[in-house]
Amino acid sequence: MKAYSFKVVIEPDEDFDGNPSGWHAYCPVLEAQRASTRGETEAAALKNINDVVRMVVESMLEHGQHIPEERSDQVEVTVELRVAVTV
């Protein structure tokens, strides 16, 4: 088993008229695989992106694709949102 940790971005989302309409969440390192989603609340968007990232990683492994990894050191201190996947 291997554990992966991915940075995620969660931003307020707006409709076409500029009105608030929930939250958009995506994983920058997995953008090519379309790892993005949304939620009515920030917490829902975080849960959804966690599910999406897990599905993307599992699918990539099934198809023998390389899982991109972000560079990290022995110790990392961050205020960024992250999703951890162990497969």
Side-chain angles (χ1 to χ4, degrees):
M1 290 187 124
K2 180 164 181 167
Y4 298 91
S5 176
F6 298 101
K7 172 186 170 185
V8 295
V9 177
I10 300 179
E11 308 169 318
D13 206 1
E14 298 177 342
D15 65 15
F16 292 113
D17 296 323
N19 300 314
S21 67
W23 295 82
H24 174 242
Y26 66 97
C27 178
V29 77
L30 297 174
E31 280 186 295
Q33 290 75 26
R34 301 181 185 189
S36 68
T37 187
R38 67 173 313 281
E40 291 299 316
T41 65
E42 191 173 4
L46 182 58
K47 180 203 174 303
N48 294 343
I49 194 63
N50 186 26
D51 295 342
V52 168
V53 168
R54 181 173 305 283
M55 287 186 293
V56 166
V57 169
E58 288 173 355
S59 176
M60 291 178 75
L61 288 172
E62 268 182 38
H63 293 94
Q65 296 175 313
H66 170 73
I67 307 298
E69 295 185 54
E70 297 171 341
R71 297 184 73 181
S72 65
D73 297 295
Q74 294 281 33
V75 177
E76 181 178 347
V77 178
T78 181
V79 293
E80 299 172 336
L81 295 172
R82 298 190 75 78
V83 171
V85 177
T86 302
V87 288

